[in-house]
Amino acid sequence: NTSAYLSDTIDDFRYFFKPQKDKEIFYLKNCCKRTIDLIKPNFIENNITIIENIEDLKINGYESELIQVLINILNNAKDALLLTKYDRFIFIDVIKDNKKALIKIKDNAGGVDSSIIDKIFEPYFTTKHQFNGTGIGLYMSKLIVEKHLIGEISVKNIDFIFNSKTYRGALFELVLPLNITNKKETQS
């Protein structure tokens, strides 16, 4: 258990400190599909349905880093959904908002406890047992989104209706520029 915990911690840091170096043009629909394909077997096994509403937006940025962020958010949603007995849904919406891509990921796992919601992006903060979570995933996701993807990430609890039933869950929102420019590029 300790080895697995340390391995997860090392992987989290490795993805952050050895980021994808070259920007590339990619489509968010394909990026989301690649992400879902990576995690799908585990989600099917746990009766979690992913519902997609994804505009096929072209973005110039770092696809592998965005995939890492999406995997972190989706795996956290999965862990929360495993605590629920019935309907298990994750919704992924991608829309264009001005010159930015808006990625919304919500679940119906009941939301994040209001006493900790402001802390979930802090390093080493976790609600999981010490061997099931490092507390680095969402912290690294925030750093990747803000520093490498030049975007914003936030979370809030929401109530919503799906198939005539009312649910409560966490909503993660990522706002990314369609063309990510580094500080060096803007100075030249």
Side-chain angles (χ1 to χ4, degrees):
N1 284 340
T2 303
S3 295
Y5 173 77
L6 291 173
S7 177
D8 287 346
T9 303
I10 289 166
D11 286 346
D12 286 338
F13 277 113
R14 185 185 59 185
Y15 287 120
F16 182 72
F17 288 112
K18 286 194 145 201
Q20 181 179 343
K21 298 295 183 206
D22 298 321
K23 285 191 311 181
E24 61 186 343
I25 293 174
F26 64 95
Y27 288 88
L28 287 177
K29 192 168 204 156
N30 188 46
C31 177
C32 289
K33 181 184 177 338
R34 288 179 64 198
T35 304
I36 291 166
D37 286 348
L38 288 169
I39 60 172
K40 188 181 249 176
N42 191 261
F43 281 54
I44 291 170
E45 179 182 317
N46 288 293
N47 297 314
I48 297 170
T49 302
I50 298 175
I51 298 162
E52 304 167 54
N53 178 29
I54 301 171
E55 277 188 48
D56 202 12
L57 302 178
K58 185 166 60 170
I59 191 166
N60 186 14
Y62 305 99
E63 183 177 21
S64 65
E65 293 188 28
L66 180 56
I67 287 172
Q68 184 63 32
V69 170
L70 296 175
I71 286 173
N72 273 325
I73 293 169
L74 292 169
N75 277 331
N76 281 341
K78 176 198 72 172
D79 292 344
L81 285 166
L82 292 179
L83 301 174
T84 65
K85 291 183 182 178
Y86 304 107
D87 304 332
R88 294 176 175 168
F89 299 114
I90 296 176
F91 301 83
I92 303 173
D93 296 298
V94 177
I95 59 169
K96 185 175 181 181
D97 187 21
N98 292 325
K99 294 183 179 184
K100 298 184 183 244
L102 179 58
I103 302 171
K104 296 181 175 188
I105 301 172
K106 71 182 172 191
D107 60 55
N108 67 323
V112 181
D113 188 308
S114 60
S115 67
I116 63 168
I117 198 165
D118 293 333
K119 298 175 186 172
I120 66 170
F121 291 113
E122 292 178 7
Y124 304 108
F125 181 81
T126 182
T127 59
K128 301 171 190 170
H129 184 273
Q130 68 176 356
F131 297 117
N132 294 329
T134 62
I136 297 177
L138 287 176
Y139 170 69
M140 288 294 186
S141 294
K142 183 174 176 67
L143 289 178
I144 289 169
V145 168
E146 292 178 351
K147 299 200 183 306
H148 299 187
L149 302 175
I150 319 301
E152 302 168 19
I153 185 171
S154 61
V155 64
K156 64 183 175 184
N157 290 322
I158 60 162
D159 295 309
F160 62 96
I161 297 172
F162 178 69
N163 285 343
S164 303
K165 284 180 90 172
T166 301
Y167 296 103
R168 181 164 184 79
L171 169 65
F172 283 82
E173 291 183 311
L174 287 76
V175 181
L176 305 174
L178 295 175
N179 186 20
I180 297 167
T181 55
N182 297 330
K183 291 179 182 175
K184 289 180 185 176
E185 293 174 5
T186 56
Q187 292 172 352
S188 49

